[in-house]
Amino acid sequence: ISSFEVVRRAENIALGLHSLGLRKGDRVAIFAANSPEWTLTDAGCQFAGVIDAPIYTTLSAGQVKYILQDSTSKILFVDTPAAFERVSEAARECGALEHIVFFDAAGEMPADALLLSDLEARGAALREREPELIAALANAVEPDDIATLIYTSGTTGEPKGVMLSHTNLISNAIDASNKLEFSPDDICLSVLPLSHVFERTGMYLYFVNGMAVYFAESVEMVPDNLKEVRPTVFMGVPRIFEKVFEKARLKAARSSAIKERIFDFAIDAAKRYAGAKETGRPSAAVRVRHMLAEKMILRKFREFFGGRLRYCITGGAAIADEIYLIFTGAGVPIMQG
């Protein structure tokens, strides 16, 4: 999907929303797994001044109902009719909801539902009739207008809809772009759920810098997708790096006692090397140990992520010092988000 097509489709989605009667400040909800359609829908909402509320696909029907009602969403975007079945009863009880829009027609669609392609077609037809409308809609959006409602986990009661403005979102992407050297040659693999604001801000970061974005097929397919895409930029939570290390250590332990000792030697060498680099120049002994560890074990950590990472960006809780030293010592650069 080219940059031109992304913008054109997002504009058509914005115009499609307008054709359905949605206006600046109205709300919609997105209940879907990561996909290009998710990002296009989000962008379309931003063009139209429509506020979107992402919903995790793992939430219960009751939790989905609460967010739909609290946000007074007029449209629910869902990836497939099959995914909608689990929350269909809850959705019917939401009085403000007017339309269901599916990204894909896999399954039996409700009679009054639309496909995203239908919405885009409505927008394209409106563009033909009113070619200046999309510019008017986009220009009516102010930096301090609410762009999205991010619902908290509800650990202290019902979820709270956090109101984030366009400035809140884009300032993070611009600041990160100014601090790190990204380029249009960078390639990213989107793994974390776009329902989380960290990954979504990352998507804006990719757009600001003109990077190519690939979407992981599923959590299970991430290792294969990393080898296929070979990203130069990767965003992940600390747990991802912990799981990679735990899996590597378990594999070594199950192989043989000798391989386990070699693995432990390599990990210790990586930590010593990374720690020495942060505080000064590593000694000759530390460099030699690291060179041996590199040949035996450490290069495999880079290969797991595709072998050409320039940045790994972590968000949320700080990554454990030990894990940080292991990966940086193995040549996997980690920036704490």
Side-chain angles (χ1 to χ4, degrees):
I1 306 175
S2 69
S3 298
F4 175 83
E5 190 177 352
V6 166
V7 174
R8 178 56 61 120
R9 290 183 65 183
E11 289 178 343
N12 285 344
I13 290 169
L15 291 167
L17 292 171
H18 189 83
S19 75
L20 291 179
L22 274 77
R23 298 295 181 263
K24 178 181 175 181
D26 284 337
R27 290 89 179 274
V28 305
I30 306 175
F31 180 66
N34 286 20
S35 66
E37 290 77 16
W38 203 112
T39 296
L40 289 167
T41 297
D42 177 41
C45 290
Q46 309 312 318
F47 272 116
V50 170
I51 301 166
D52 56 22
I55 304 177
Y56 283 98
T57 57
T58 54
L59 293 185
S60 68
Q63 290 170 313
V64 172
K65 176 183 174 181
Y66 175 84
I67 293 174
L68 289 174
Q69 289 182 327
D70 188 71
S71 64
T72 62
S73 291
K74 292 187 174 182
I75 295 180
L76 175 62
F77 289 90
V78 192
D79 37 15
T80 64
F84 177 64
E85 285 181 14
R86 186 170 63 83
V87 298
S88 59
E89 290 298 325
R92 291 189 185 97
E93 296 175 13
C94 299
L97 200 60
E98 298 173 0
H99 302 281
I100 308 295
V101 178
F102 294 109
F103 294 160
D104 189 276
E108 187 176 347
M109 287 176 53
D112 55 348
L114 295 170
L115 285 172
L116 186 64
S117 57
D118 298 328
L119 189 66
E120 292 181 54
R122 291 175 68 103
L126 182 56
R127 185 197 292 271
E128 287 291 321
R129 298 194 302 272
E130 301 181 51
E132 305 301 322
L133 179 57
I134 186 60
L137 293 177
N139 290 334
V141 180
E142 299 292 338
D144 291 333
D145 288 341
I146 299 172
T148 189
L149 296 174
I150 303 290
Y151 279 82
T152 64
S153 61
T155 52
T156 56
E158 296 290 0
K160 312 296 190 299
V162 179
M163 299 178 289
L164 296 180
S165 69
H166 291 268
T167 297
N168 289 150
L169 295 174
I170 202 62
S171 62
N172 285 330
I174 292 172
D175 286 348
S177 300
N178 292 336
K179 290 179 173 61
L180 301 174
E181 295 181 357
F182 298 113
S183 84
D185 294 327
D186 279 314
I187 293 174
C188 320
L189 179 67
S190 178
V191 172
L192 301 175
L194 283 163
S195 302
H196 194 294
V197 73
F198 178 58
E199 181 68 17
R200 192 159 154 213
T201 304
M203 193 64 65
Y204 300 146
L205 174 70
Y206 307 153
F207 278 6
V208 165
N209 292 279
M211 304 182 200
V213 184
Y214 292 74
F215 292 84
E217 295 171 75
S218 66
V219 173
E220 294 75 21
M221 288 294 292
V222 167
D224 292 331
N225 294 157
L226 282 167
K227 290 180 176 64
E228 179 185 6
V229 173
R230 301 184 65 226
T232 60
V233 178
F234 180 79
M235 288 183 62
V237 290
R239 184 59 185 152
I240 288 178
F241 299 96
E242 292 168 5
K243 289 179 73 172
V244 170
F245 173 67
E246 289 167 2
K247 185 176 180 179
R249 180 166 57 183
L250 183 61
K251 183 178 180 180
R254 286 177 173 174
S255 297
S256 68
I258 293 176
K259 287 188 177 180
E260 185 175 13
R261 285 197 293 271
I262 291 173
F263 182 85
D264 290 340
F265 163 81
I267 295 304
D268 180 68
K271 290 192 288 187
R272 289 174 183 269
Y273 182 76
K277 281 192 71 174
E278 288 190 349
T279 57
R281 179 176 167 77
S283 67
V286 168
R287 292 200 304 273
V288 169
R289 284 170 58 89
H290 183 262
M291 184 174 62
L292 291 172
E294 164 72 16
K295 291 182 178 180
M296 293 185 291
I297 298 292
L298 301 183
R299 60 184 175 81
K300 295 180 181 179
F301 282 90
R302 291 197 302 279
E303 290 170 1
F304 178 86
F305 289 97
R308 59 178 181 180
L309 278 177
R310 299 200 310 118
Y311 298 112
C312 278
I313 304 171
T314 67
I319 196 166
D321 289 342
E322 179 184 60
I323 299 296
Y324 172 80
L325 290 173
I326 290 167
F327 279 92
T328 55
V332 179
I334 295 180
M335 313 290 294
Q336 305 252 22

